[in-house]
Structure formats: C-alpha cells, structure tokens
Amino acid sequence: MLPNPNDIFISPRRGGSRLYAMVGPNQEEHWCVTSNHSIKDHQSFTGEDAFSDKEGNVNKDFPVAKFTNTFEWDGTDTKVVITTAYASEEALKQILEMGMEQGLSMAFENLDEVLSEA
C-alpha cells in the first residue's frame, strides 16, 4: 500500500515514506514517492516506489516497483544488493523503455562523490 499523499514526509521507519525528484541531465524533474515496508537495521529494507506528482499523488499510468535492498558485510566492505520487481513483464518493459537502466547507471556513477561528502 502506498502512503497517503497528504501525509508525505521523510521517515526511515516501517510505514514511513519519502517524496523525491529524479533530476535529469537537462534539469527535468520526475517525481516519485517511496513507502517503507520493512527495515532491518544493518541488514535490509523493503518497500514500493511509484512515480508521482510533486505533491506525492501516485501517477497510475506508470508501474509500481517493489524492492528489497540488502547489505552484506564481509568484515572489510559492504556489498549492497538491490532487487526490484514489477507486476508483469509489460510493466518492466515500460520502465526499461523510459530509461531506468541509464538512470540507475547515472546514480551509481555519482555515488562515490556523494559518499565522499558524507
């Protein structure tokens, strides 16, 4: 279940949500809302991610992603495993055609810079 758009806030807790904009190379904004389903400290978190408007109202024209992020510590480094699922193959194709793969690549390429500022 996605969050009530009138109750959007950033909250890293089960049942919390996050409203954010993905900004493209030409400064175009694509808004999304994420709802947290479960959080296991230092292990994993799960939830749903959906396209929305800037007020957090879900755009029903686009598929909702269900995701699980896990963290695997080997004593030296942490490996992050991201698994995303869609309701159908058609939904996945729609998202891929919209450039999800390129968007994720851009985000990961910027990760070192973001982490160095932390």
Side-chain angles (χ1 to χ4, degrees):
M1 173 192 253
L2 292 171
N4 177 332
N6 297 319
D7 190 28
I8 300 298
F9 54 92
I10 297 173
S11 179
R13 62 174 174 77
R14 186 174 194 271
S17 59
R18 172 175 70 119
L19 177 64
Y20 65 97
M22 296 180 288
V23 181
N26 298 320
Q27 302 306 305
E28 67 276 13
E29 294 180 349
H30 305 279
W31 288 86
C32 294
V33 62
T34 298
S35 60
N36 302 322
H37 290 186
S38 68
I39 298 174
K40 296 179 183 173
D41 287 344
H42 308 287
Q43 295 177 22
S44 66
F45 62 95
T46 66
E48 292 183 349
D49 201 35
F51 284 93
S52 70
D53 61 20
K54 55 173 79 172
E55 284 77 41
N57 300 300
V58 173
N59 185 333
K60 303 284 186 190
D61 293 332
F62 298 102
V64 173
K66 294 185 180 200
F67 65 85
T68 300
N69 291 7
T70 59
F71 305 95
E72 300 172 1
W73 172 251
D74 69 6
T76 305
D77 297 309
T78 300
K79 178 180 177 181
V80 179
V81 178
I82 302 169
T83 306
T84 304
Y86 290 92
S88 67
E89 187 175 341
E90 292 78 27
L92 174 60
K93 285 181 183 177
Q94 179 182 4
I95 293 298
L96 288 172
E97 288 171 3
M98 292 171 57
M100 178 185 79
E101 201 168 353
Q102 295 86 347
L104 280 176
S105 292
M106 288 172 57
F108 290 135
E109 288 169 8
N110 293 329
L111 192 56
D112 286 336
E113 180 182 338
V114 170
L115 292 174
S116 71
E117 295 172 2

